Amino acid sequence: MAKTTPRLHVDEALKTAAEIVLPKEQSHYLANVLRMDAGDAVRIFNNADGEWLAYITEVGKKSVSIRCEKHVNAALPPSDIDYLFAPLKHQRLDYLVQKATELGARRLRPIITARTIAERVNLERMRANVVEAAEQCNLVFVPEVMLPLALAAALHSWPAEK
């Protein structure tokens, strides 16, 4: 059975022959979950440099190193869509964020209304869900997760051209 080529979002600059040591979570995923070895292909992407074909150069106990080889796709941001929403509780918010990413939102903007039930917004969890959705759906762009704003403040600061 042929291996599928996993896709990973990275924060580092991507260019031909760039060597990248992946973060702990991504290293664990490739080495221990997917059981990948040196020489195996991986697709990596970021919002600035697009998607690249890379190869694993080293699998250590705590880290995996990769090397960029070939540019595959440009990073094309989706339409200028801001997705404003009142935060929900845990799993429902995860689902909302994933679907908004898959549908092509460029920015996710949590809006606090008078009837918002969620007491706080876990932005790191939202960012992780956005990245995971982009990786799984072959998107070459990860939407920006904005800080929560009160509805009145969001409406007051909204650009007139939108």
PDB file of all heavy atoms in Angstrom, residues 4 9 29-30 34 37 39 46 59 69 72-73 75 82 87 96-97 109 112 128 141 145 149 151 155:
ATOM      1  N   THR A   4       0.581   7.955   1.775  1.00  0.00           N
ATOM      2  CA  THR A   4       0.128   9.270   1.335  1.00  0.00           C
ATOM      3  C   THR A   4       1.143  10.298   1.829  1.00  0.00           C
ATOM      4  O   THR A   4       1.815  10.076   2.831  1.00  0.00           O
ATOM      5  CB  THR A   4      -1.261   9.608   1.899  1.00  0.00           C
ATOM      6  OG1 THR A   4      -1.196   9.555   3.316  1.00  0.00           O
ATOM      7  CG2 THR A   4      -2.311   8.635   1.397  1.00  0.00           C
ATOM      8  N   HIS A   9       1.751  22.634   8.044  1.00  0.00           N
ATOM      9  CA  HIS A   9       1.934  24.088   8.031  1.00  0.00           C
ATOM     10  C   HIS A   9       3.162  24.401   8.875  1.00  0.00           C
ATOM     11  O   HIS A   9       3.325  23.867   9.966  1.00  0.00           O
ATOM     12  CB  HIS A   9       0.707  24.779   8.619  1.00  0.00           C
ATOM     13  CG  HIS A   9       0.865  26.243   8.717  1.00  0.00           C
ATOM     14  ND1 HIS A   9       1.285  26.867   9.869  1.00  0.00           N
ATOM     15  CD2 HIS A   9       0.680  27.230   7.799  1.00  0.00           C
ATOM     16  CE1 HIS A   9       1.333  28.162   9.661  1.00  0.00           C
ATOM     17  NE2 HIS A   9       0.985  28.412   8.422  1.00  0.00           N
ATOM     18  N   TYR A  29       4.399  13.389  15.221  1.00  0.00           N
ATOM     19  CA  TYR A  29       3.397  12.914  14.261  1.00  0.00           C
ATOM     20  C   TYR A  29       4.057  12.155  13.112  1.00  0.00           C
ATOM     21  O   TYR A  29       3.629  11.051  12.763  1.00  0.00           O
ATOM     22  CB  TYR A  29       2.587  14.105  13.743  1.00  0.00           C
ATOM     23  CG  TYR A  29       1.561  13.746  12.703  1.00  0.00           C
ATOM     24  CD1 TYR A  29       0.448  12.989  13.027  1.00  0.00           C
ATOM     25  CD2 TYR A  29       1.710  14.171  11.385  1.00  0.00           C
ATOM     26  CE1 TYR A  29      -0.492  12.652  12.069  1.00  0.00           C
ATOM     27  CE2 TYR A  29       0.770  13.851  10.424  1.00  0.00           C
ATOM     28  CZ  TYR A  29      -0.332  13.095  10.767  1.00  0.00           C
ATOM     29  OH  TYR A  29      -1.261  12.767   9.801  1.00  0.00           O
ATOM     30  N   LEU A  30       5.100  12.730  12.520  1.00  0.00           N
ATOM     31  CA  LEU A  30       5.758  12.078  11.383  1.00  0.00           C
ATOM     32  C   LEU A  30       6.510  10.818  11.794  1.00  0.00           C
ATOM     33  O   LEU A  30       6.408   9.779  11.141  1.00  0.00           O
ATOM     34  CB  LEU A  30       6.721  13.047  10.693  1.00  0.00           C
ATOM     35  CG  LEU A  30       6.099  14.233   9.965  1.00  0.00           C
ATOM     36  CD1 LEU A  30       7.186  15.094   9.343  1.00  0.00           C
ATOM     37  CD2 LEU A  30       5.105  13.786   8.916  1.00  0.00           C
ATOM     38  N   LEU A  34       2.982   8.338  11.936  1.00  0.00           N
ATOM     39  CA  LEU A  34       3.052   7.893  10.542  1.00  0.00           C
ATOM     40  C   LEU A  34       4.230   6.966  10.260  1.00  0.00           C
ATOM     41  O   LEU A  34       4.305   6.370   9.201  1.00  0.00           O
ATOM     42  CB  LEU A  34       3.116   9.102   9.608  1.00  0.00           C
ATOM     43  CG  LEU A  34       1.892  10.024   9.622  1.00  0.00           C
ATOM     44  CD1 LEU A  34       2.084  11.161   8.636  1.00  0.00           C
ATOM     45  CD2 LEU A  34       0.622   9.249   9.313  1.00  0.00           C
ATOM     46  N   ASP A  37      10.407   7.795   7.620  1.00  0.00           N
ATOM     47  CA  ASP A  37      11.861   7.699   7.734  1.00  0.00           C
ATOM     48  C   ASP A  37      12.535   8.719   6.831  1.00  0.00           C
ATOM     49  O   ASP A  37      11.890   9.349   5.987  1.00  0.00           O
ATOM     50  CB  ASP A  37      12.332   6.299   7.329  1.00  0.00           C
ATOM     51  CG  ASP A  37      11.869   5.223   8.288  1.00  0.00           C
ATOM     52  OD1 ASP A  37      12.000   5.428   9.510  1.00  0.00           O
ATOM     53  OD2 ASP A  37      11.369   4.179   7.817  1.00  0.00           O
ATOM     54  N   GLY A  39      14.210  10.306   3.797  1.00  0.00           N
ATOM     55  CA  GLY A  39      13.940  10.062   2.385  1.00  0.00           C
ATOM     56  C   GLY A  39      12.466  10.128   2.023  1.00  0.00           C
ATOM     57  O   GLY A  39      12.125  10.261   0.848  1.00  0.00           O
ATOM     58  N   ASN A  46       3.188  27.560   3.937  1.00  0.00           N
ATOM     59  CA  ASN A  46       2.900  28.713   4.798  1.00  0.00           C
ATOM     60  C   ASN A  46       2.227  29.780   3.939  1.00  0.00           C
ATOM     61  O   ASN A  46       2.141  29.646   2.717  1.00  0.00           O
ATOM     62  CB  ASN A  46       4.158  29.236   5.516  1.00  0.00           C
ATOM     63  CG  ASN A  46       5.192  29.796   4.585  1.00  0.00           C
ATOM     64  OD1 ASN A  46       4.905  30.257   3.485  1.00  0.00           O
ATOM     65  ND2 ASN A  46       6.439  29.766   5.021  1.00  0.00           N
ATOM     66  N   VAL A  59      15.614  11.676  11.172  1.00  0.00           N
ATOM     67  CA  VAL A  59      14.605  11.375  12.187  1.00  0.00           C
ATOM     68  C   VAL A  59      15.345  11.070  13.475  1.00  0.00           C
ATOM     69  O   VAL A  59      16.019  10.049  13.593  1.00  0.00           O
ATOM     70  CB  VAL A  59      13.719  10.176  11.780  1.00  0.00           C
ATOM     71  CG1 VAL A  59      12.714   9.845  12.886  1.00  0.00           C
ATOM     72  CG2 VAL A  59      13.003  10.463  10.469  1.00  0.00           C
ATOM     73  N   GLU A  69      12.587  20.999  -1.433  1.00  0.00           N
ATOM     74  CA  GLU A  69      13.139  20.657  -2.739  1.00  0.00           C
ATOM     75  C   GLU A  69      12.478  21.395  -3.897  1.00  0.00           C
ATOM     76  O   GLU A  69      13.159  21.914  -4.761  1.00  0.00           O
ATOM     77  CB  GLU A  69      13.021  19.142  -2.981  1.00  0.00           C
ATOM     78  CG  GLU A  69      13.898  18.308  -2.074  1.00  0.00           C
ATOM     79  CD  GLU A  69      15.382  18.517  -2.298  1.00  0.00           C
ATOM     80  OE1 GLU A  69      15.790  18.786  -3.444  1.00  0.00           O
ATOM     81  OE2 GLU A  69      16.141  18.416  -1.318  1.00  0.00           O
ATOM     82  N   VAL A  72       5.574  23.822  -5.183  1.00  0.00           N
ATOM     83  CA  VAL A  72       4.449  23.124  -5.796  1.00  0.00           C
ATOM     84  C   VAL A  72       3.281  24.066  -6.108  1.00  0.00           C
ATOM     85  O   VAL A  72       2.725  24.028  -7.200  1.00  0.00           O
ATOM     86  CB  VAL A  72       3.960  21.979  -4.876  1.00  0.00           C
ATOM     87  CG1 VAL A  72       2.772  21.256  -5.471  1.00  0.00           C
ATOM     88  CG2 VAL A  72       5.089  20.998  -4.593  1.00  0.00           C
ATOM     89  N   ASN A  73       2.889  24.908  -5.142  1.00  0.00           N
ATOM     90  CA  ASN A  73       1.754  25.821  -5.314  1.00  0.00           C
ATOM     91  C   ASN A  73       2.051  27.164  -4.667  1.00  0.00           C
ATOM     92  O   ASN A  73       2.661  27.213  -3.599  1.00  0.00           O
ATOM     93  CB  ASN A  73       0.481  25.262  -4.657  1.00  0.00           C
ATOM     94  CG  ASN A  73      -0.099  24.107  -5.421  1.00  0.00           C
ATOM     95  OD1 ASN A  73      -0.213  24.139  -6.638  1.00  0.00           O
ATOM     96  ND2 ASN A  73      -0.484  23.072  -4.694  1.00  0.00           N
ATOM     97  N   ALA A  75       0.947  30.587  -2.650  1.00  0.00           N
ATOM     98  CA  ALA A  75       0.012  30.893  -1.564  1.00  0.00           C
ATOM     99  C   ALA A  75      -0.967  31.940  -2.083  1.00  0.00           C
ATOM    100  O   ALA A  75      -0.628  33.100  -2.216  1.00  0.00           O
ATOM    101  CB  ALA A  75       0.749  31.406  -0.345  1.00  0.00           C
ATOM    102  N   ASP A  82     -14.343  38.171   5.951  1.00  0.00           N
ATOM    103  CA  ASP A  82     -14.205  38.138   7.408  1.00  0.00           C
ATOM    104  C   ASP A  82     -15.400  37.357   7.931  1.00  0.00           C
ATOM    105  O   ASP A  82     -16.544  37.696   7.623  1.00  0.00           O
ATOM    106  CB  ASP A  82     -14.238  39.538   7.993  1.00  0.00           C
ATOM    107  CG  ASP A  82     -12.970  40.302   7.731  1.00  0.00           C
ATOM    108  OD1 ASP A  82     -12.489  40.308   6.588  1.00  0.00           O
ATOM    109  OD2 ASP A  82     -12.454  40.892   8.682  1.00  0.00           O
ATOM    110  N   PRO A  87     -18.715  33.380  19.817  1.00  0.00           N
ATOM    111  CA  PRO A  87     -18.094  32.113  20.213  1.00  0.00           C
ATOM    112  C   PRO A  87     -19.074  31.146  20.869  1.00  0.00           C
ATOM    113  O   PRO A  87     -19.972  31.552  21.606  1.00  0.00           O
ATOM    114  CB  PRO A  87     -17.018  32.534  21.209  1.00  0.00           C
ATOM    115  CG  PRO A  87     -16.765  33.971  20.908  1.00  0.00           C
ATOM    116  CD  PRO A  87     -18.064  34.523  20.429  1.00  0.00           C
ATOM    117  N   LEU A  96     -17.097  24.906  14.048  1.00  0.00           N
ATOM    118  CA  LEU A  96     -17.354  26.164  13.356  1.00  0.00           C
ATOM    119  C   LEU A  96     -16.078  26.696  12.705  1.00  0.00           C
ATOM    120  O   LEU A  96     -16.078  27.104  11.537  1.00  0.00           O
ATOM    121  CB  LEU A  96     -17.916  27.185  14.345  1.00  0.00           C
ATOM    122  CG  LEU A  96     -18.223  28.568  13.804  1.00  0.00           C
ATOM    123  CD1 LEU A  96     -19.461  29.118  14.490  1.00  0.00           C
ATOM    124  CD2 LEU A  96     -17.065  29.504  14.003  1.00  0.00           C
ATOM    125  N   VAL A  97     -14.983  26.686  13.453  1.00  0.00           N
ATOM    126  CA  VAL A  97     -13.704  27.193  12.952  1.00  0.00           C
ATOM    127  C   VAL A  97     -13.204  26.343  11.778  1.00  0.00           C
ATOM    128  O   VAL A  97     -12.728  26.869  10.768  1.00  0.00           O
ATOM    129  CB  VAL A  97     -12.675  27.232  14.106  1.00  0.00           C
ATOM    130  CG1 VAL A  97     -11.267  27.435  13.602  1.00  0.00           C
ATOM    131  CG2 VAL A  97     -13.052  28.315  15.101  1.00  0.00           C
ATOM    132  N   ARG A 109     -13.190  36.245  13.139  1.00  0.00           N
ATOM    133  CA  ARG A 109     -13.320  37.315  14.130  1.00  0.00           C
ATOM    134  C   ARG A 109     -14.383  36.948  15.174  1.00  0.00           C
ATOM    135  O   ARG A 109     -15.571  37.101  14.917  1.00  0.00           O
ATOM    136  CB  ARG A 109     -13.727  38.618  13.461  1.00  0.00           C
ATOM    137  CG  ARG A 109     -12.694  39.165  12.505  1.00  0.00           C
ATOM    138  CD  ARG A 109     -13.205  40.465  11.884  1.00  0.00           C
ATOM    139  NE  ARG A 109     -12.248  41.023  10.971  1.00  0.00           N
ATOM    140  CZ  ARG A 109     -11.336  41.926  11.313  1.00  0.00           C
ATOM    141  NH1 ARG A 109     -11.263  42.365  12.531  1.00  0.00           N
ATOM    142  NH2 ARG A 109     -10.498  42.394  10.409  1.00  0.00           N
ATOM    143  N   ILE A 112     -18.121  39.313  20.705  1.00  0.00           N
ATOM    144  CA  ILE A 112     -18.814  39.126  21.978  1.00  0.00           C
ATOM    145  C   ILE A 112     -20.092  39.968  21.947  1.00  0.00           C
ATOM    146  O   ILE A 112     -20.032  41.191  21.809  1.00  0.00           O
ATOM    147  CB  ILE A 112     -17.915  39.537  23.169  1.00  0.00           C
ATOM    148  CG1 ILE A 112     -16.560  38.827  23.103  1.00  0.00           C
ATOM    149  CG2 ILE A 112     -18.630  39.283  24.489  1.00  0.00           C
ATOM    150  CD1 ILE A 112     -16.609  37.326  23.108  1.00  0.00           C
ATOM    151  N   ALA A 128      -4.969  26.266  16.202  1.00  0.00           N
ATOM    152  CA  ALA A 128      -4.635  24.862  15.926  1.00  0.00           C
ATOM    153  C   ALA A 128      -5.691  24.225  15.027  1.00  0.00           C
ATOM    154  O   ALA A 128      -5.361  23.475  14.102  1.00  0.00           O
ATOM    155  CB  ALA A 128      -4.492  24.087  17.231  1.00  0.00           C
ATOM    156  N   PHE A 141      -3.352  28.284   2.368  1.00  0.00           N
ATOM    157  CA  PHE A 141      -3.471  29.524   3.118  1.00  0.00           C
ATOM    158  C   PHE A 141      -4.179  29.224   4.431  1.00  0.00           C
ATOM    159  O   PHE A 141      -5.153  28.494   4.454  1.00  0.00           O
ATOM    160  CB  PHE A 141      -4.274  30.567   2.325  1.00  0.00           C
ATOM    161  CG  PHE A 141      -4.306  31.914   2.979  1.00  0.00           C
ATOM    162  CD1 PHE A 141      -3.282  32.811   2.777  1.00  0.00           C
ATOM    163  CD2 PHE A 141      -5.349  32.269   3.816  1.00  0.00           C
ATOM    164  CE1 PHE A 141      -3.310  34.059   3.384  1.00  0.00           C
ATOM    165  CE2 PHE A 141      -5.379  33.510   4.428  1.00  0.00           C
ATOM    166  CZ  PHE A 141      -4.352  34.402   4.206  1.00  0.00           C
ATOM    167  N   VAL A 145      -6.645  34.334  12.812  1.00  0.00           N
ATOM    168  CA  VAL A 145      -7.576  34.309  13.939  1.00  0.00           C
ATOM    169  C   VAL A 145      -7.379  35.612  14.706  1.00  0.00           C
ATOM    170  O   VAL A 145      -6.305  35.880  15.221  1.00  0.00           O
ATOM    171  CB  VAL A 145      -7.328  33.084  14.852  1.00  0.00           C
ATOM    172  CG1 VAL A 145      -8.230  33.130  16.071  1.00  0.00           C
ATOM    173  CG2 VAL A 145      -7.535  31.791  14.069  1.00  0.00           C
ATOM    174  N   LEU A 149     -13.701  40.778  19.972  1.00  0.00           N
ATOM    175  CA  LEU A 149     -14.125  42.172  20.108  1.00  0.00           C
ATOM    176  C   LEU A 149     -15.590  42.209  20.508  1.00  0.00           C
ATOM    177  O   LEU A 149     -16.364  41.334  20.129  1.00  0.00           O
ATOM    178  CB  LEU A 149     -14.011  42.898  18.770  1.00  0.00           C
ATOM    179  CG  LEU A 149     -12.695  43.506  18.359  1.00  0.00           C
ATOM    180  CD1 LEU A 149     -12.824  44.128  16.974  1.00  0.00           C
ATOM    181  CD2 LEU A 149     -12.232  44.542  19.350  1.00  0.00           C
ATOM    182  N   LEU A 151     -19.306  43.516  20.038  1.00  0.00           N
ATOM    183  CA  LEU A 151     -20.025  43.805  18.806  1.00  0.00           C
ATOM    184  C   LEU A 151     -19.997  45.294  18.470  1.00  0.00           C
ATOM    185  O   LEU A 151     -19.732  45.672  17.327  1.00  0.00           O
ATOM    186  CB  LEU A 151     -21.473  43.308  18.908  1.00  0.00           C
ATOM    187  CG  LEU A 151     -22.357  43.581  17.703  1.00  0.00           C
ATOM    188  CD1 LEU A 151     -21.773  42.935  16.444  1.00  0.00           C
ATOM    189  CD2 LEU A 151     -23.763  43.084  17.960  1.00  0.00           C
ATOM    190  N   LEU A 155     -18.358  46.898  15.031  1.00  0.00           N
ATOM    191  CA  LEU A 155     -19.150  47.686  14.078  1.00  0.00           C
ATOM    192  C   LEU A 155     -18.595  49.104  13.927  1.00  0.00           C
ATOM    193  O   LEU A 155     -18.558  49.645  12.826  1.00  0.00           O
ATOM    194  CB  LEU A 155     -20.614  47.736  14.524  1.00  0.00           C
ATOM    195  CG  LEU A 155     -21.352  46.394  14.467  1.00  0.00           C
ATOM    196  CD1 LEU A 155     -22.748  46.537  15.050  1.00  0.00           C
ATOM    197  CD2 LEU A 155     -21.387  45.841  13.057  1.00  0.00           C
TER     198      LEU A 155
END
